[in-house]
Amino acid sequence: MTDDPIRVLMVEDQPDLREMIGLALRDLGIDVATTADAHEAAALLKSEARFDVVFSDVSMPNGMSGIELSEHVAREQPQARMILSSGYARSQLPPLPEQVEFLPKPYRLRQLVQLLRQE
């Protein structure tokens, strides 16, 4: 195992939250790229950028959900783990793809970091 920082793509439509969580993760040594919606994230997944983890809300604006984004992750960067988050209970959501991990909201930064750092 190398000491390279974890590379995370965080998809968050709320600018304040995106900025706050992004800064906190960077302070903890995690390499974070952020996008405001799943369309931006899907474009980034097709670029040269490589990610270890993609973290997104299930519900996203502009017509592409986190669940749909997880299909792009599986296709474009199958090595990346996909973590979806929602304020809804998992039982209230559409079925999540098998490889997708789930983090219920509200979550603590510590919980997110622990999940991101899991192998």
Side-chain angles (χ1 to χ4, degrees):
M1 173 150 170
T2 65
D3 287 337
D4 290 339
I6 302 167
R7 292 158 306 175
V8 175
L9 173 54
M10 182 178 74
V11 189
E12 174 55 63
D13 58 320
Q14 296 174 23
D16 295 350
L17 203 53
R18 185 170 62 239
E19 185 71 16
M20 186 181 71
I21 296 172
L23 282 172
L25 293 177
R26 286 182 194 101
D27 285 349
L28 293 166
I30 294 173
D31 184 0
V32 183
T34 60
T35 64
D37 69 25
H39 291 285
E40 281 182 36
L44 204 49
L45 289 167
K46 287 183 176 163
S47 75
E48 293 299 307
R50 285 291 162 258
F51 301 99
D52 299 307
V53 183
V54 178
F55 175 58
S56 173
D57 266 5
V58 171
S59 302
M60 294 299 294
N62 305 323
M64 187 190 299
S65 72
I67 294 173
E68 290 167 299
L69 177 61
S70 73
E71 295 165 12
H72 287 268
V73 173
R75 188 170 53 246
E76 302 295 336
Q77 299 205 21
Q79 82 291 347
R81 291 168 49 224
M82 180 77 200
I83 302 170
L84 289 175
S85 184
S86 178
Y88 291 102
R90 190 167 184 163
S91 60
Q92 295 175 288
L93 297 169
L96 300 181
E98 201 176 297
Q99 75 280 10
V100 171
E101 298 167 64
F102 183 69
L103 180 64
K105 284 183 174 180
Y107 56 81
R108 299 196 178 284
L109 183 63
R110 186 180 69 239
Q111 290 172 288
L112 174 59
V113 169
Q114 216 171 10
L115 193 54
L116 291 175
R117 288 189 168 150
Q118 281 176 3
E119 290 295 315

